[in-house]
Amino acid sequence: MTIRTHWDIEHACGHEVTHDLSERAADRRAGFARWLAARDCTDCWKASRQADAPSKQEWLKAKRAEEEQAAAEWAQKFEMPPLDGPERALGWGERTRHQLMTAAHTALVIEGTWQDEDWTRLEDKARTVTRAGWWIDQRDADGADLPELLDAATEQDRGNPLR
């Protein structure tokens, strides 16, 4: 007797679909069929994802605006210069700079052993790096690595200190 390859599955959404499971090993078909039954069919799954897209986009837009506002307030409070670069990179660079500087302060001062004068020197060095792309490139860096990263910044990454 041959193990069946086509399964009629009633999905969680209520739709019944015949699935060809011949590409799966025979001993894995029943378990996969059970897994499929606990989920919506492909059409319903796609429809729910498309319906969620506008709300996710609205949420992301609001989140970005909130992050940009916090970064702008932080930059003004700590006298950080505006960043240089393409228009589309400026907001991202500002947000990334704020996030990385905040992570560095936490790692080096709050959780670390740095004193206020150490942090002031780092802030001064950070003010010299005004290329938005540089900050974006560091977006996945650990905050504790910021001193070394700033030391590695090139002249192209540094802006005009006489602004």
Side-chain angles (χ1 to χ4, degrees), residues 66-86:
E66 180 183 308
E67 290 173 348
E68 285 180 16
Q69 179 67 30
E73 290 171 3
W74 171 86
Q76 183 176 5
K77 179 178 179 181
F78 292 101
E79 300 174 350
M80 291 290 164
L83 297 180
D84 303 318

Side-chain angles (χ1 to χ4, degrees), residues 85-141:
E87 184 67 31
R88 61 183 171 73
L90 296 179
W92 189 10
E94 294 280 351
R95 289 190 316 270
T96 303
R97 177 175 64 178
H98 175 236
Q99 292 164 352
L100 186 54
M101 290 291 290
T102 301
H105 187 267
T106 299
L108 300 170
V109 178
I110 296 173
E111 297 171 354
T113 60
W114 278 36
Q115 302 301 313
D116 287 341
E117 55 273 3
D118 300 318
W119 181 252
T120 300
R121 281 193 297 277
L122 184 76
E123 279 184 329
D124 290 341
K125 197 177 285 188
R127 284 184 187 94
T128 69
V129 178
T130 59
R131 189 173 68 83
W134 186 89
W135 290 99
I136 293 167
D137 290 345
Q138 312 316 314
R139 68 186 174 272
D140 295 324

